[in-house]
Amino acid sequence: AVIGRYKLSVQSTSSGSSSPANLGSFVLLFNPWSSGDDVFMPNKAECEEYVLEEFGIIFAGNKNHINSFGWNFGQFQEDILNICLSMLDRSLYYRQDPATDISHRNDPKYLGRVLSAMVNANDDQGVLLGNWSGNYEGGKSPSSWTGSGEILQNWKKSGFKPVRYGQCWVFAAVLTTVLRCLGIPTRTITNFSSAHDADGNLRVDEFYDASGNHLDRAADSIWNFHVWNESWFSRSDLGPSYSGWQVLDATPQEESGGIYQCGPASRNAIKEGDVDLDYDCPFVFAEVNADCMYWNYDPTTGKKTLIFSKSTVIGQFISTKAVGRDDRVDVTNDYKYEEGSTKERDIFKKARKKLGLEDKFDPTAPTPQETDQKPDISGKFKVAGTLEVGKDLNLILVLANLQSDVKTVHVNMTAWSTVYTRRPVHEIWKNSVSVTLSPKEEKQFPIKIPYTEYQQQLTTDNTIQVTALCHVEGGIQVLVQRDITLDNPAIDIQILGEAKVNQEVDVEVIFTNPIDTEVRDCVLQVEGNDLLRGILEIDIPPLKASEKSSTKFKLIPFETGSKHLLVHFSCDKFADIKTFKMVNV
């Protein structure tokens, strides 16, 4: 049966005349507990997590430094079901052909695809407008949201105008809310070093100028992380071996069938390189498998020179929240065979062949110019000290001469603030040095970027990309780079006393200003299902250098069980400090 709202009436006949009586209405949803359903999930604990759980954890940061934050999916909160159902009636599919659209609403793969389009505002005045510029005027910065409820309610309240602004985890979190609400088991997945392959050739190209600046000139990109969804259902169109977890992605990256939508792509098909199967497998396959090409680009002549290529960079530490626990689970092996194994390369070749790429340039096969010349030096950035907003950033550039003769190296270094997609936003620092390396010598160059230098330039993602382009005399160039994610200062929540239904309990939130200047415009936002209604907002007076603030407020929980309280703190110097606390009521 198609899901949605049904009217129920009864017809009674007495002495030849019949009169219908309306008994009311009900909403039919998918049922993962029922073995006959397309979304049947045999494991009860997984049903609890992926359909009934209203709290989630989303992983972010970068591959060297994974961090996480809580999210309030809130799929069973007031009016959310109505909003989810009205979302179906606002899709392009429904507007073009209502009867056909409704007749397909028994099919989770159809609804997953439709909703992946509706969660972004492209094409259809959907829920969220994406913005990756680093400037979020005219809306809320994507990292300031703490739950889907506020976004969905705002969308409805505004007369269904797109809510400003979203980035990948916001799109994914809202899609999780909608699909769980409709009974389809769904979770968020974070892929670190995620490829956005715009031209479908299973490789991403990055360009750097002679000074080592990362040029924002390619359609391709490698994101520090990207968040998408997996939903659980059978694939009657592909066969049983492709059932199970299906990838959906509501972030508007590339059009599919003329609309910004993505999936469902069977996770098994991705792992086996079956990129010719519906839907959007080549794009998802590239997100976790693409090869990377790093080029030196000369803007005056338009000449590009390959610096090096890597086939093991993309798709690392693919993460999701554990079932029934607040831990990270690594699912990389469910997406691909082990990096560097022959099986993994065979699958890559199989995918290239299916996409008709086998005759085209293969980035992993060395070209004659590359086999002749190996780099004479190696380099890396090491972190010295803590990576915290408010503290100076200390790094060490380590250069090693791999040859048995002296090498002279000219090094151009830059540091840029970026958004999490690694799009450069502001230059923070640059420097150049010339170095002589004796045979087999290793040298270390300490780098210090003071807080005062990066503070104004930092985006809300707290990310900095450091690059050193090394010009070796008589040899090929070597590119050294590192993406740094800085941690926000900590914030602490204490529940003062025992939390009981319909009884007041005090909560204390403590924040210490870690820097030596005053912070102002301090705002605390608190939300938590069954602990308080809506979002509590508290203004906090300015805090002097190193001053500690304690803010107390009361909760009156209205349901028993383990609940999560989400706290979000922001001020003029620190954007979006988040934490959560489990409360047993």
Side-chain angles (χ1 to χ4, degrees), residues 128-132 140 142 145 163-168 170-171:
L128 273 161
L129 189 62
N131 179 344
W132 286 267
K140 274 185 69 154
W145 303 107
V163 176
R164 295 159 190 257
Y165 291 105
Q167 286 172 357
C168 67
V170 193
F171 293 108

Side-chain angles (χ1 to χ4, degrees), residues 205-215 222 292-297 305-310 313 375-381 397-399 409-414 422 465-472 476-483:
D205 300 293
E206 286 203 340
F207 296 92
Y208 293 82
D209 66 13
S211 309
N213 293 306
H214 179 182
L215 303 174
I222 303 166
C292 304
M293 314 286 290
Y294 300 91
W295 303 85
N296 184 201
Y297 179 76
T305 325
L306 186 65
I307 306 172
F308 69 105
S309 64
K310 270 256 170 71
V313 169
D376 295 318
I377 66 162
S378 71
K380 61 174 184 231
F381 283 111
L397 174 63
V398 183
L399 295 179
V409 189
H410 306 286
V411 188
N412 292 330
M413 296 178 282
T414 63
R422 290 178 60 251
Q465 187 184 37
V466 197
T467 304
L469 189 56
C470 308
H471 302 268
V472 184
I476 56 175
Q477 298 176 342
V478 173
L479 177 71
V480 186
Q481 56 161 343
R482 181 150 182 169
D483 294 290

Side-chain angles (χ1 to χ4, degrees), residues 297-355:
Y297 179 76
D298 182 346
T300 48
T301 62
K303 183 169 180 274
K304 53 179 198 173
T305 325
L306 186 65
I307 306 172
F308 69 105
S309 64
K310 270 256 170 71
S311 63
T312 55
V313 169
I314 298 294
Q316 302 192 44
F317 302 110
I318 306 176
S319 306
T320 192
K321 177 188 175 296
V323 173
R325 315 191 309 279
D326 291 349
D327 299 326
R328 182 182 85 86
V329 173
D330 194 295
V331 293
T332 311
N333 292 341
D334 296 325
Y335 275 86
K336 55 185 174 181
Y337 291 93
E338 199 176 333
E339 285 287 5
S341 66
T342 47
K343 180 80 175 167
E344 187 267 339
R345 281 291 95 184
D346 289 347
I347 297 282
F348 190 77
K349 290 193 184 96
K350 172 182 173 183
R352 278 181 69 86
K353 190 172 176 185
K354 289 198 172 206
L355 295 173

